[in-house]
Amino acid sequence: MAAFILRRLAQSILVMLVVSLVAFYMFQFLGDPINQMVGIDTPLAEREALRERLGLNDPMIIRFGKFVLNAAQLDFGLSYQHKQPVVDLLMERMPATIELSFVSAIIAFFLALPAGVYTGLYRNRWSSKALLTLSLVGISIPTFLIGILFIYLFAVILGWLPSFGRGEVITLPGGWTTGLLTVSGLKAIILPATTLGLFTLTLIMRLIRAEMLEVLRTDYIKFARARGLTNRAVNFGHALKNTLVPVITVTGLLLGNLIAFAIITESVFQWPGMGRLFLQAIQEVDLPVMSAYLVMISFLFVVINLIVDILYYVVDPRLRVEKSGGGH
Amino acid sequence: MSNHLLEVRNLRIEFPTRKGILTAIDDVSFHIDEGEVLGVVGESGAGKSLTGAAIIGLLEPPGRVAGGEILLEGRRIDNLPYEEMRRIRGRQIGAIFQDPLTSLNPLYTVGRQLTETIMTHTDMTPTKARERAIEMLTQVGIPAPERRVDQYPHQFSGGMRQRVVIALALCVNPRLVVADEPTTALDVSIQAQIIALLKKLCREHGTAVMLVTHDMGVIAETADRVAVMYAGRIAEIGPVKQVVKQAKHPYTEGLMGSIPMIGHTDEKLRQIEGSMPRLTNIPTGCAFNPRCPKAFDRCFRERPDTIPVDGTEVACWLFDKETANV
């Protein structure tokens, strides 16, 4: 187990290096940041001085080396536009994005689980068929459209929920800001979280259903019934647990997706998160912010994947036992 | 009459399809007595497993019992609500399936699967149930059961897993076990062990067995009585000695003739010509008539029911008084 985790950690580091290289290199082609930072009438000499000061004249390999070393210490330099450390900018907005993503992941998973199990167990009922048809809608309508429809229905027509922003935010010790402890914050997160989670919800639901159908056909489920176990024990104890391995994989990846694709939802709902910062950074060719965002997102992906791999071990004994070698 | 442990009367199983209703089991009747081993043989698709599934109440939809009845100790069980049938399943009728490699849930230890079954059907405490689980593993001949009880199915070999499956089927002392080809998926060298074990345990516990197989050797060694099935009907049923030694139905004769004998090297292996008809295409009269060497005109007109002949029952016009003399 420890060896396995170490191996995965090494792989993760490699992945992070490659992503850093891409993040670093890609943005070399996005135009000259100096142009964005200075006025039209700034003299050339001054521009050169600024270029030198920002280290933009060093050879590529040195700049990459510096980038990685600094990134490892959470130092992504100053934002060209905001003249603030990038890390501070990201950290300031990260709680909003993380909260949004996790709330929508929770909404998605805990609605998908019963819905998937239900449609898997009772696939011939009309309610199952209705749920499946509805899930197609969730998969096929783009997020921003759903967001706008939600705003129109719940904020404009019904006036139940706010249409933008994070509501009232409390700062916890450590600097983490949370909207989950105030009524207005909770109200504000419902629409964006649902919008963001809808795609994930329908995907996980359909996956669980497909896996349930598969598992319910297996011999061990028939044998469990033949032993007279209760329906609950068979469906939830035996069948559901066996569907979990693929579901965990996909859920992990989707959680990463939720964080990364929060960009769209954040801009629809004016959510003050990292995604909006990233969009602004693109418009302003704010390279340090863009690189840092990419590195940060891939770091989250890598961490989630690592957790998913460890969860496999917890769920499936067949992976655990190599060493104790019982049996044959 | 109802002192039989299990009685199947005129069982009929149908599958509704788009092209109409297929009758997979047609008018099958037999019984199993307390502690008796009934062997059920026939080619693939003859309806052996289907009959077994109907008895444990786990016919897969769209298959359904369309007629007849199944009685356990005189009580009708084929029309019970799911929950009541569930209580009988495992508790009074155990089941053993063909493939031990896939019969066990890979994510739970064998101990957990045993205790779960035991605690579903009795009010034993977890500790008691665990003791019982270890005892069952000992009974089915698994070495070091105290250690093995906490292992997962993939840590057991195929033969060992089938022993675990037997332990699971017998752990709450059911009155009847439906064993559906319990050795087909196993190595030949292990088959005999498993059959011997099943036979021994059932004798000790007084459990009756419905042994579904296509291995006549297993039947000859294990069963008290044999039912030979063909195309969803019983061709011949009777005590094992008579059916094996003096087969009456031409199909049974053919089956017995196709068992290779050691020492008869010069003889070509005999086989029954042709194959069993599809359900959609069962000939009128006796379903066996296209392959039967002794078929005569009546066999093509009328379908025979079982006729008692010298202690066995045979569904063949050769043994009907009216035509026997022809």
Side-chain angles (χ1 to χ4, degrees):
Chain A
M1 177 91 185
F4 164 80
I5 292 180
L6 276 179
R7 209 161 53 232
R8 274 296 138 91
L9 270 178
Q11 285 170 2
S12 306
I13 290 172
L14 192 69
V15 169
M16 285 310 298
L17 274 177
V18 172
V19 170
S20 307
L21 183 63
V22 172
F24 170 78
Y25 205 74
M26 188 163 66
F27 296 129
Q28 307 305 317
F29 302 103
L30 283 184
D32 189 353
I34 302 292
N35 283 340
Q36 298 289 324
M37 296 161 76
V38 296
I40 291 178
D41 48 354
T42 314
L44 263 178
E46 211 169 299
R47 292 182 182 225
E48 264 323 300
L50 185 60
R51 199 181 293 277
E52 191 62 40
R53 193 151 45 85
L54 290 173
L56 294 176
N57 286 332
D58 294 341
M60 206 55 103
I61 184 78
I62 292 185
R63 287 170 58 199
F64 180 60
K66 276 188 191 162
F67 175 77
V68 170
L69 276 181
N70 289 336
Q73 300 162 43
L74 283 181
D75 177 7
F76 293 93
L78 286 181
S79 156
Y80 295 162
Q81 208 62 37
H82 300 258
K83 318 284 187 219
Q84 263 178 291
V86 173
V87 175
D88 293 353
L89 284 176
L90 280 176
M91 285 305 165
E92 197 184 303
R93 288 166 174 77
M94 181 132 73
T97 298
I98 300 274
E99 269 181 13
L100 177 63
S101 305
F102 273 82
V103 169
S104 54
I106 287 166
I107 291 177
F109 192 71
F110 285 97
L111 287 180
L113 195 69
V117 171
Y118 180 84
T119 48
L121 286 178
Y122 308 108
R123 60 185 162 142
N124 290 325
R125 291 196 188 167
W126 72 265
S127 46
S128 294
K129 288 172 182 163
L131 267 177
L132 273 184
T133 314
L134 210 65
S135 76
L136 271 183
V137 175
I139 284 186
S140 39
I141 298 185
T143 312
F144 65 87
L145 187 58
I146 291 177
I148 292 168
L149 289 175
F150 274 1
I151 290 177
Y152 185 62
L153 182 63
F154 293 103
V156 179
I157 297 183
L158 297 170
W160 290 348
L161 298 165
S163 64
F164 69 92
R166 232 186 139 188
E168 204 179 319
V169 173
I170 295 176
T171 309
L172 299 178
W176 185 278
T177 57
T178 178
L180 298 180
L181 296 176
T182 61
V183 176
S184 74
L186 283 175
K187 273 172 113 178
I189 207 167
I190 293 176
L191 284 186
T194 314
T195 307
L196 181 59
L198 207 58
F199 178 77
T200 312
L201 189 161
T202 49
L203 214 61
I204 298 180
M205 174 194 136
R206 294 179 78 91
L207 180 71
I208 292 181
R209 170 182 180 270
E211 288 295 323
M212 278 297 274
L213 290 180
E214 190 74 31
V215 169
L216 286 173
R217 272 202 300 270
T218 58
D219 283 353
Y220 56 82
I221 294 300
K222 269 181 234 160
F223 189 52
R225 290 198 199 287
R227 285 186 277 145
L229 302 186
T230 58
N231 267 337
R232 229 179 78 182
V234 174
N235 294 338
F236 293 94
H238 287 262
L240 186 59
K241 194 171 176 191
N242 273 285
T243 67
L244 284 184
V245 170
V247 171
I248 288 174
T249 318
V250 174
T251 308
L253 290 178
L254 287 174
L255 183 59
N257 270 352
L258 283 179
I259 297 171
F261 295 123
I263 294 177
I264 297 166
T265 312
E266 284 182 8
S267 56
V268 171
F269 287 93
Q270 303 280 298
W271 192 260
M274 294 194 295
R276 272 224 300 159
L277 181 71
F278 181 66
L279 280 187
Q280 282 165 11
I282 290 176
Q283 282 160 14
E284 295 155 356
V285 202
D286 199 341
L287 292 187
V289 173
M290 284 149 81
S291 320
Y293 177 79
L294 263 191
V295 172
M296 208 80 122
I297 292 293
S298 41
F299 180 70
L300 283 172
F301 258 97
V302 166
V303 169
I304 289 168
N305 265 321
L306 195 65
I307 295 174
V308 164
D309 282 340
I310 294 170
L311 275 181
Y312 284 166
Y313 266 68
V314 178
V315 172
D316 196 334
R318 281 166 294 189
L319 296 172
R320 252 181 268 154
V321 207
E322 302 158 58
K323 51 186 191 318
S324 72
H328 298 272
Chain B
M1 159 131 206
S2 56
N3 46 12
H4 298 306
L5 175 64
L6 180 89
E7 196 169 353
V8 175
R9 289 186 197 150
N10 311 100
L11 182 69
R12 181 183 164 87
I13 297 174
E14 292 179 347
F15 285 83
T17 66
R18 255 177 296 170
K19 289 177 189 160
I21 288 170
L22 286 184
T23 307
I25 297 289
D26 197 358
D27 205 13
V28 161
S29 302
F30 63 90
H31 64 86
I32 300 176
D33 283 326
E34 203 87 25
E36 183 186 49
V37 179
L38 175 75
V40 179
V41 283
E43 285 164 75
S44 309
K48 305 166 300 210
S49 301
L50 217 50
T51 311
I55 291 170
I56 56 176
L58 287 178
L59 264 184
E60 296 214 6
R64 55 161 199 253
V65 175
E69 46 189 28
I70 300 170
L71 297 103
L72 184 73
E73 298 180 303
R75 177 190 178 201
R76 199 165 163 195
I77 58 168
D78 59 286
N79 56 358
L80 288 182
Y82 185 89
E83 182 55 23
E84 264 178 78
M85 191 59 206
R86 177 188 73 70
R87 284 174 212 276
I88 291 177
R89 229 180 280 139
R91 171 80 259 203
Q92 286 175 281
I93 308 179
I96 297 170
F97 290 157
Q98 187 170 354
D99 192 351
L101 298 184
T102 57
S103 289
L104 299 169
N105 188 334
L107 302 187
Y108 292 124
T109 62
V110 298
R112 147 119 210 216
Q113 300 188 47
L114 275 161
T115 46
E116 174 187 48
T117 314
I118 295 165
M119 287 165 66
T120 302
H121 295 292
T122 64
D123 36 2
M124 277 189 211
T125 60
T127 336
K128 277 267 173 215
R130 190 183 152 86
E131 279 167 25
R132 172 82 183 146
I134 294 174
E135 186 199 322
M136 279 316 294
L137 291 182
T138 317
Q139 282 192 24
V140 295
I142 287 180
E146 296 86 0
R147 189 169 60 84
R148 294 294 234 156
V149 73
D150 291 320
Q151 292 189 343
Y152 291 92
H154 70 272
Q155 291 166 288
F156 290 75
S157 66
M160 283 296 161
R161 281 193 224 183
Q162 196 62 308
R163 286 170 192 264
V164 172
V165 169
I166 291 175
L168 277 163
L170 297 179
C171 64
V172 282
N173 281 328
R175 313 293 305 280
L176 170 72
V177 170
V178 178
D180 190 353
E181 312 221 11
T183 57
T184 310
L186 296 175
D187 283 353
V188 181
S189 55
I190 297 170
Q191 290 184 356
Q193 289 176 19
I194 294 293
I195 289 293
L197 173 73
L198 186 64
K199 197 174 160 184
K200 173 179 152 261
L201 284 180
C202 289
R203 188 168 300 153
E204 282 170 14
H205 293 265
T207 312
V209 183
M210 175 174 162
L211 182 62
V212 175
T213 178
H214 47 241
D215 187 339
M216 284 309 297
V218 166
I219 294 285
E221 239 171 78
T222 319
D224 300 312
R225 288 189 308 124
V226 193
V228 180
M229 290 191 73
Y230 187 81
R233 289 173 61 80
I234 286 187
E236 182 166 357
I237 181 167
V240 69
K241 283 206 183 78
Q242 282 170 29
V243 176
V244 173
K245 293 272 159 56
Q246 313 149 24
K248 294 190 178 55
H249 197 289
Y251 177 62
T252 321
E253 263 184 288
L255 270 188
M256 298 305 152
S258 59
I259 304 173
M261 300 278 191
I262 294 172
H264 296 221
T265 44
D266 47 5
E267 238 176 89
K268 209 177 150 194
L269 190 58
R270 275 199 284 162
Q271 56 179 21
I272 310 174
E273 293 296 321
S275 58
M276 207 172 62
R278 291 164 158 274
L279 288 180
T280 45
N281 198 17
I282 290 180
T284 40
C286 174
F288 188 57
N289 66 38
R291 303 168 77 185
C292 184
K294 299 177 184 167
F296 56 100
D297 54 348
R298 191 176 181 189
C299 304
F300 295 93
R301 283 195 324 262
E302 284 173 74
R303 197 175 69 175
D305 283 320
T306 47
I307 308 158
V309 187
D310 312 334
T312 64
E313 287 181 62
V314 188
C316 179
W317 291 129
L318 288 172
F319 299 90
D320 189 63
K321 286 194 190 78
E322 279 180 47
T323 40
N325 310 322
V326 176

